[in-house]
Amino acid sequence: MIWILVGLALGLIAGFYIPFTYPANYSLYMSVAILATMDSIFGAVKSVLKGQYDNLIFITGFIGNALLAIILTYTGDRLGLPLYYVAILVFGSRLFDNLSVIRRHIVTKISDKKRGK
């Protein structure tokens, strides 16, 4: 768990101090890719809490979800259809689903400690 926090802190520091920009045309692609990677991260945290985490599954899901979201967005852009809504709907609902499982696990652990179990 400490490695997750260290990685998060290093990522935030790098994000603030390394000047990285991309053209405004790519903002839709980046936002959908970020949503997809956040879904993978929250899924990994949920798997850790359930004791089912597998690094290979996390890495392939992380990359695969981001690529799928970008490909969907690009294809929709070429066809003139807002297919990025599909990625937003699916990854957004999974993100909230994973967050609810994580929250439930943490609340249960805290309430069990208070009861003395």
Side-chain angles (χ1 to χ4, degrees), residues 57-70:
I57 291 174
F58 169 69
I59 292 171
T60 55
F62 186 86
I63 295 169
N65 284 351
L67 287 176
L68 177 64
I70 290 170

Side-chain angles (χ1 to χ4, degrees), residues 34-70:
I34 289 170
L35 181 64
T37 55
M38 285 178 58
D39 170 57
S40 296
I41 292 168
F42 276 86
V45 171
K46 180 180 88 171
S47 295
V48 166
L49 294 175
K50 287 185 169 187
Q52 301 171 339
Y53 178 77
D54 184 3
N55 203 29
L56 182 61
I57 291 174
F58 169 69
I59 292 171
T60 55
F62 186 86
I63 295 169
N65 284 351
L67 287 176
L68 177 64
I70 290 170

Side-chain angles (χ1 to χ4, degrees), residues 8 21 25 28 33-34 44 47 72 94 102:
L8 181 63
T21 59
N25 297 344
L28 183 61
I34 289 170
S47 295
L72 262 174
R94 285 180 36 174
I102 293 166

Side-chain angles (χ1 to χ4, degrees), residues 1 3 8 12 36 53 62 69 84 88 92 95 105 110 113 117:
M1 185 69 168
W3 292 110
L8 181 63
L12 287 172
Y53 178 77
F62 186 86
Y84 65 92
I88 291 172
L95 187 71
H105 180 79
I110 291 171
K113 279 186 179 181
K117 288 186 178 181

